[in-house]
Amino acid sequence: MDDLNILYVEDDELSCEVMSTLLKKGLGYQNLTIFEDSSDFMPRLIGLSSKPDIIFLDIHMEPIDGFEMLNLIRSNPAFDGTKIVAFTASVMNEEVKLLREAGFNGVFAKPLAVDAFPKALSRILDGEQLWIIK
């Protein structure tokens, strides 16, 4: 699926560089869009030239956090079926439980386990829910 459209919403510059390098150079996905903040999130999402197949959301964003962004996406029928994965440094069991209950398709802990990411991404794209907290 080399034409995969990916959106990554992340305010940490280093995390953006790691994800961009991993997805583009490591896995060959070229259709990556990065939002470095969550201001005007839905207008920017709707304004993308291609609908994302998967969206990675940093949970601790401002002004709109990952839970709020998830709710906005899920409330828009245009994004039915879009995979939405949380990225967070807070991997306590309680937060993972909240992420599941909120409707995310999975979670990855920060810092990202680069070696495990390709297989985990493939599993999520195949419809599996993954809760990678280590």
Side-chain angles (χ1 to χ4, degrees), residues 52-113:
D53 299 298
I54 188 165
I55 300 173
F56 297 110
L57 298 176
D58 179 11
I59 293 303
H60 302 287
M61 294 284 295
E62 290 185 12
I64 304 171
D65 72 18
F67 288 101
E68 292 174 82
M69 287 186 282
L70 173 73
N71 288 333
L72 290 168
I73 298 165
R74 293 288 191 226
S75 68
N76 187 320
F79 298 97
D80 286 352
T82 301
K83 310 282 189 230
I84 306 172
V85 179
F87 270 87
T88 184
S90 302
V91 290
M92 303 300 292
N93 286 337
E94 185 59 32
E95 184 166 37
V96 172
K97 180 181 175 197
L98 291 173
L99 294 166
R100 280 183 178 189
E101 291 171 354
F104 282 93
N105 295 100
V107 64
F108 288 102
K110 289 183 191 177
L112 182 64

